[in-house]
């Protein structure tokens, strides 16, 4: 199904102030909820080297890396249960707080690129705006696009911000809305609205394209066209390369599928890991390696024979092989979410919606990148290191 006549550009200026409204946390799947009720497990790491051409240029951490504990003197703040960790210095500030000083509206203060997007999770208290962190670490409030609260077909509230709302280059933001997708160009605060009828649950950038996922289907927005995609949209990998899906077969083993201009290719089974009950969030590709969070168990999701665990799986797309990252046993993963790659050897994870942790896959060591001040928050991060 192709529709190339439903894209418009808004010129009506910044949004009016939002009315209060409730919002609950996005459902992460029944399987993962059951896992978090059973166990609190540690995040994992594995020595993996990106064999692509790009080389990492990560700022060096302090030679005497101090440990930092989660602050507890803020309103509406519950301390993280994760242990204190050594710091790792990156482009991000050590503390994310868009409320420390009044954030300028994007409509009158556009930015060339955002390092990340942030939205507070305040439950039923009020609908929260989305903030963009500029390259000079100042904040902008996204006051264009008339972003409204949305729900899935069952009435469950959805956050405006998805983990994949920000494009990899940090120049555009996309937001799923009822019957449409809103795309904001941060450089001039202009807005495009793409008609996608139905309950749109989340969006995901694939280079210049956007995948829009609904409960039972997905669409690709590319070159001014809306194309219906077969299969679950949640299995598409975040990549600037060819369109790729990482799913699981009936025997709970990983399966790769690449797309061409003619459509999806044949499935390719990935060897090395199994017992993959449920994926959590999208896969993230850097070079030839895809990283994705997954719930692992024995038996079946309906009849598990042992408590399930939350792991990271690393898939080498060139050899169609995969391994689990090694258990480092340092940080709990309750409400953890993979944010993507920082560099060729490091994953970024937001833990308990409170702090961002870097996981060095060559050493198996976690380090704290930044904390989130105030209320728990959703994040979407661009590619920070080159």
């Amino acid at each position: 199904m192709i529709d190339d006549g439903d894209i418009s550009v808004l010129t009506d200026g910044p949004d009016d102030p939002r009315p209060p409204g409730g919002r609950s946390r996005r459902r992460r799947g029944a399987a993962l909820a059951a896992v978090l009720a059973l166990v609190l497990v540690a995040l994992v790491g594995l020595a993996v080297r990106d064999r692509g051409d790009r080389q990492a240029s990560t700022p060096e951490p302090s030679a005497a890396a101090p440990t930092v504990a989660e602050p507890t003197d803020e309103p509406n703040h519950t301390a993280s249960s994760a242990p204190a960790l050594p710091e790792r210095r990156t482009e991000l500030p050590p503390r994310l707080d868009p409320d420390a000083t009044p954030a300028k509206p994007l409509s009158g203060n556009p930015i060339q690129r955002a390092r990340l997007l942030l939205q507070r999770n305040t439950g039923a208290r009020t609908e929260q705006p989305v903030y963009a962190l500029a390259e000079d670490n100042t904040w902008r409030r996204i006051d264009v696009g008339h972003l409204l609260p949305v729900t899935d077909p069952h009435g469950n509230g959805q956050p405006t911000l998805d983990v994949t709302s920000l494009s990899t280059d940090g120049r555009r933001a996309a937001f799923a809305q009822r019957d449409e997708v809103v795309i904001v160009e941060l450089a001039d605060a202009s807005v495009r609205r793409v008609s996608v009828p139905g309950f749109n649950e989340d969006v995901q950038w694939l280079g210049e394209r956007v995948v829009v996922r609904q409960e039972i289907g997905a669409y690709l927005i590319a070159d001014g066209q809306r194309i219906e995609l077969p299969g679950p949209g949640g299995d598409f990998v975040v990549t600037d390369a060819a369109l790729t899906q990482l799913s699981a077969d009936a025997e709970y083993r990983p399966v790769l599928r690449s797309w061409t201009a003619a459509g999806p290719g044949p499935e390719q089974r990935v060897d090395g890991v199994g017992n993959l009950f449920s994926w959590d969030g999208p896969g993230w590709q850097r070079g030839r390696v895809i990283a994705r969070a997954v719930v692992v168990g024995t038996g079946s999701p309906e009849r598990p024979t042992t408590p399930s665990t939350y792991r990271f799986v690393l898939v080498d797309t060139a050899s169609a092989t995969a391994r689990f990252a090694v258990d480092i046993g340092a940080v709990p993963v309750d409400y953890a979410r993979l944010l993507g790659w920082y560099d060729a050897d490091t994953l970024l994870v937001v833990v308990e919606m409170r702090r961002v942790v870097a996981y060095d896959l060559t050493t198996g060591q976690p380090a704290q990148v930044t904390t989130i001040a105030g209320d728990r928050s959703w994040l979407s991060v661009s590619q920070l290191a080159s």
Side-chain angles (χ1 to χ4, degrees):
M1 166 178 167
I2 298 178
D3 183 348
D4 57 2
D6 293 324
I7 299 180
S8 60
V9 178
L10 295 185
T11 57
D12 56 353
D15 297 348
D16 295 328
R18 293 183 182 175
R23 180 63 61 105
S24 63
R25 188 177 184 275
R26 179 185 302 279
R27 295 174 300 136
R28 300 180 58 190
L32 181 58
V35 171
L36 295 179
L38 289 171
V39 293
L40 189 63
V41 297
L43 285 170
V44 291
L46 169 69
V48 169
R49 180 72 57 175
D50 182 353
R51 300 182 185 178
D53 294 332
R54 293 196 298 176
Q55 298 296 319
S57 56
T58 309
E60 291 294 328
S62 171
T67 59
V68 286
E70 188 77 7
T72 58
D73 56 351
E74 299 164 354
N76 306 316
H77 187 95
T78 302
S80 171
S81 62
L85 296 172
E87 287 184 301
R88 175 161 178 172
R89 297 176 182 175
T90 70
E91 300 89 333
L92 296 177
R95 193 173 176 85
L96 300 176
D97 188 2
D99 303 316
T101 58
K104 298 178 180 179
L106 182 70
S107 58
N109 303 271
I111 57 178
Q112 289 299 312
R113 179 178 180 273
R115 288 179 171 167
L116 61 78
L117 303 178
L118 180 150
Q119 184 185 25
R120 300 292 196 188
N121 174 24
T122 56
R125 292 207 304 272
T126 180
E127 173 67 16
Q128 291 294 310
V130 177
Y131 297 95
L133 181 68
E135 290 185 286
D136 62 357
N137 287 337
T138 61
W139 292 94
R140 301 293 188 274
R141 176 173 50 85
I142 298 181
D143 63 330
V144 297
H146 301 287
L147 302 175
L148 300 174
V150 293
T151 66
D152 66 12
H154 310 289
N156 298 298
Q158 306 288 324
T160 302
L161 182 65
D162 296 313
V163 70
T164 44
S165 282
L166 185 61
S167 62
T168 303
D169 61 11
R171 300 182 184 278
R172 288 152 296 177
F175 304 98
Q177 297 278 276
R178 176 73 182 273
D179 296 325
E180 66 180 1
V181 171
V182 173
I183 299 175
V184 177
E185 296 284 345
L186 300 179
D188 59 9
S190 64
V191 175
R192 287 184 293 156
R193 291 185 182 276
V194 183
S195 175
V196 185
F199 290 88
N200 300 307
E201 296 196 11
D202 57 52
V203 294
Q204 176 180 327
W205 285 95
L206 302 175
E208 299 292 321
R209 302 160 295 179
V210 176
V211 168
V212 187
R213 188 179 67 83
Q214 298 181 351
E215 185 176 44
I216 57 173
Y219 295 88
L220 179 70
I221 299 172
D223 299 326
Q225 298 181 338
R226 184 188 67 219
I227 306 169
E228 188 171 5
L229 298 173
D235 286 332
F236 285 100
V237 174
V238 179
T239 177
D240 290 332
L243 196 63
T244 303
Q245 286 178 294
L246 174 61
S247 57
D249 63 17
E251 298 179 352
Y252 312 116
R253 297 170 301 186
V255 173
L256 281 172
R257 172 180 281 176
S258 297
W259 287 55
T260 66
E267 291 186 344
Q268 181 181 20
R269 197 180 82 179
V270 177
D271 295 322
V273 298
N275 300 322
L276 309 182
F277 283 2
S278 175
W279 298 110
D280 179 50
W284 302 80
Q285 184 168 359
R286 186 178 176 98
R288 57 192 280 177
V289 178
I290 298 171
R292 194 173 185 186
V294 66
V295 176
V296 183
T298 57
S300 69
E302 297 78 17
R303 294 178 178 272
T305 56
T306 59
S308 301
T309 57
Y310 185 89
R311 305 290 301 271
F312 288 131
V313 64
L314 300 167
V315 177
D316 187 319
T317 58
S319 63
T321 59
R323 293 182 180 179
F324 290 119
V326 178
D327 184 358
I328 58 175
V331 177
V333 296
D334 189 22
Y335 297 106
R337 199 73 189 270
L338 181 60
L339 296 173
W341 294 87
Y342 176 71
D343 60 29
D345 303 316
T346 311
L347 296 175
L348 288 181
V349 179
V350 59
V351 179
E352 298 175 334
M353 305 178 79
R354 284 291 186 206
R355 59 178 178 172
V356 177
V357 175
Y359 287 86
D360 189 325
L361 299 177
T362 63
T363 65
Q365 296 299 316
Q368 183 161 296
V369 172
T370 184
T371 59
I372 300 171
D375 290 304
R376 299 180 190 271
S377 300
W378 291 285
L379 298 177
S380 179
V381 180
S382 65
Q383 179 62 60
L384 297 174
S386 60

